[in-house]
Amino acid sequence: MSNRRSMLSTLNNGGGFSYLLDLYPGALVAYSLRQLISTYPSSSRCIRIRRSSDNAELDIYFVSNVVDTASILSFVGSGDGYVVRFCNQLDTSGVRDAYQSIALNQPLIVQAGVLCTQNGKPTIKYTSASQLLKASSTPLLDTYENTMVTLQKFNNVAGYKVVASAGDTGGDNIFCHIGWGRSSYGRTLYQLTTINEDGTTTLNQEIWVGRSSIISSTNSLYMNNVPQILSLPYVPFHTDSRSMLIGNDDYGSYIDGNVQEVVYYRSYLSNANASGVTLNLNNYYNVY
Amino acid sequence: MFTKEITGYKYLLEIDAINAVKSVNDYYTLPDEAGDVTKEWVTYNYSNNFNYWYIYSNESLVVILGEPSIFLV
């Protein structure tokens, strides 16, 4: 193992909390219920939530690098709690925070007084095709290189499902779109009008790293650090400006499951870095 | 073009969808304090595939809009 790989392995495996984006910088947007970068100010929120009892809202911050679940539960009480704002940890101005201003379109973080969790960690739960968090005020920039990192769990294998998308018009007009293309298609990179899939369906919690490079005519999809064999060798993504969508493609293809982390790089991460990112997530979330 | 089956309320005219949304949003008032993100209870969508407008179903809508139906978008 090289000195750099050895160092990264050490940082990922021990010695306190390991900030993903300190180790693997360069992401354009990053959303998570854990703190991803050490320089994110303590005065900056993680999420904003709404409670069902009276529809009041509250900003929720990090405590010891994790979303403040005690404040969430205290505020929500015995009802439901919804995420109305998922903050981009790479820009405290909020211009690329993912919002939802329509009450019925907001995903859950508390259900009947119980915190939504996946494998013991808090999660955002999508239960309806209308639920979506969208960063629309400042679109992503034109790009020829993409890497999308997601941690999710699907709750059923029927129909199209989307974990995250850098594309706001739904349907065919997507350029970096990671999800699930019907039960027979399995893990999928949606590209233009093409479904590029590995054919494997699962209800397991998984870490996905999807990449595409127009420059090198390459794409790939890693699942839990294992490269998946896709149905197509390469299909270019769109290169125009889109918004980041979490949990839904804004066209009714929603995850029907749990999303805990979405990070989008406007670059094609190297194999080593894609592996390192996966390792960092796995060390925290214990996925595999 | 992807099509999906959903449960909800379908409208052939946009004005009917607008009126349906208004009736729901008038029914469910929100606090609207400074900094609040939530502005409305429900909204409507447009089906590019079938050229109509629709609202996703939710149990809170039944009292105002009645029982939903199943259709493609």
Side-chain angles (χ1 to χ4, degrees):
Chain A
M1 184 182 290
S2 68
N3 288 339
R4 174 173 163 74
R5 290 292 300 281
S6 176
M7 178 188 73
L8 293 177
S9 179
T10 301
L11 288 169
N12 270 323
N13 279 299
F17 193 84
S18 179
Y19 297 98
L20 174 71
L21 297 178
D22 287 4
L23 295 172
Y24 306 98
L28 182 64
V29 288
Y31 309 90
S32 179
L33 298 174
R34 64 169 178 154
Q35 191 170 334
L36 296 178
I37 186 165
S38 61
T39 55
Y40 194 64
S42 60
S43 59
S44 293
R45 58 203 145 193
C46 170
I47 54 175
R48 186 176 175 88
I49 63 173
R50 175 180 64 85
R51 63 186 176 196
S52 61
S53 57
D54 62 358
N55 296 308
E57 296 185 7
L58 181 70
D59 288 329
I60 303 294
Y61 298 82
F62 290 108
V63 171
S64 300
N65 303 307
V66 181
V67 67
D68 183 357
T69 55
S71 292
I72 292 172
L73 290 169
S74 172
F75 178 70
V76 173
S78 60
D80 295 332
Y82 299 89
V83 177
V84 304
R85 176 177 185 155
F86 201 3
C87 296
N88 170 26
Q89 295 182 32
L90 290 167
D91 185 344
T92 57
S93 72
V95 294
R96 288 198 175 105
D97 287 356
Y99 293 90
Q100 182 49 260
S101 65
I102 306 298
L104 292 188
N105 296 357
Q106 294 162 349
L108 288 154
I109 192 158
V110 175
Q111 197 164 21
V114 178
L115 185 72
C116 298
T117 60
Q118 182 63 49
N119 204 17
K121 300 285 197 301
T123 188
I124 298 175
K125 183 176 182 180
Y126 292 75
T127 59
S128 162
S130 69
Q131 291 170 334
L132 162 70
L133 293 169
K134 179 175 181 178
S136 58
S137 61
T138 302
L140 308 175
L141 302 177
D142 298 0
T143 181
Y144 291 85
E145 307 281 314
N146 303 279
T147 301
M148 186 87 84
V149 181
T150 64
L151 172 61
Q152 74 287 318
K153 181 196 181 300
F154 299 94
N155 286 335
N156 74 66
V157 295
Y160 294 101
K161 306 205 177 306
V162 170
V163 179
S165 174
D168 66 356
T169 56
D172 302 341
N173 300 312
I174 48 187
F175 86 87
C176 182
H177 192 103
I178 192 165
W180 187 287
R182 296 198 297 227
S183 59
S184 59
Y185 291 163
R187 307 177 189 97
T188 301
L189 284 169
Y190 295 85
Q191 299 152 290
L192 299 174
T193 59
T194 304
I195 293 172
N196 192 0
E197 36 76 24
D198 72 354
T200 303
T201 60
T202 177
L203 294 178
N204 295 333
Q205 181 189 31
E206 292 183 337
I207 302 164
W208 290 1
V209 179
R211 299 178 295 172
S212 178
S213 168
I214 290 178
I215 295 170
S216 62
S217 297
T218 305
N219 57 25
S220 71
L221 177 61
Y222 280 65
M223 182 282 296
N224 293 351
N225 211 24
V226 178
Q228 305 301 293
I229 300 173
L230 297 172
S231 56
L232 299 168
Y234 173 67
V235 178
F237 287 168
H238 276 288
T239 58
D240 48 358
S241 189
R242 305 288 173 171
S243 299
M244 173 60 71
L245 312 171
I246 301 173
N248 198 315
D249 67 349
D250 209 4
Y251 197 65
S253 292
Y254 76 115
I255 178 172
D256 193 357
N258 301 332
V259 178
Q260 289 168 293
E261 199 156 305
V262 174
V263 179
Y264 175 71
Y265 291 83
R266 202 174 58 205
S267 62
Y268 190 95
L269 288 188
S270 67
N271 290 344
N273 283 350
S275 178
V277 165
T278 301
L279 180 63
N280 179 277
L281 268 77
N282 191 50
N283 283 335
Y284 179 72
Y285 292 102
N286 299 313
V287 176
Y288 62 94
Chain B
M1 199 58 89
F2 304 138
T3 61
K4 304 168 195 68
E5 184 179 270
I6 73 156
T7 303
Y9 305 89
K10 184 172 75 175
Y11 303 93
L12 300 180
L13 299 176
E14 186 175 19
I15 187 65
D16 291 337
I18 291 170
N19 288 336
V21 164
K22 184 176 186 310
S23 65
V24 173
N25 290 333
D26 287 346
Y27 187 89
Y28 292 104
T29 57
L30 295 163
D32 200 22
E33 299 290 335
D36 279 357
V37 172
T38 310
K39 301 302 179 189
E40 296 183 314
W41 193 258
V42 73
T43 191
Y44 66 96
N45 305 277
Y46 177 68
S47 170
N48 290 308
N49 291 339
F50 299 101
N51 192 31
Y52 49 61
W53 292 262
Y54 63 95
I55 297 171
Y56 287 106
S57 68
N58 182 276
E59 62 183 26
S60 69
L61 304 182
V62 174
V63 66
I64 307 150
L65 302 180
E67 293 298 327
S69 59
I70 298 172
F71 51 90
L72 293 174
V73 298

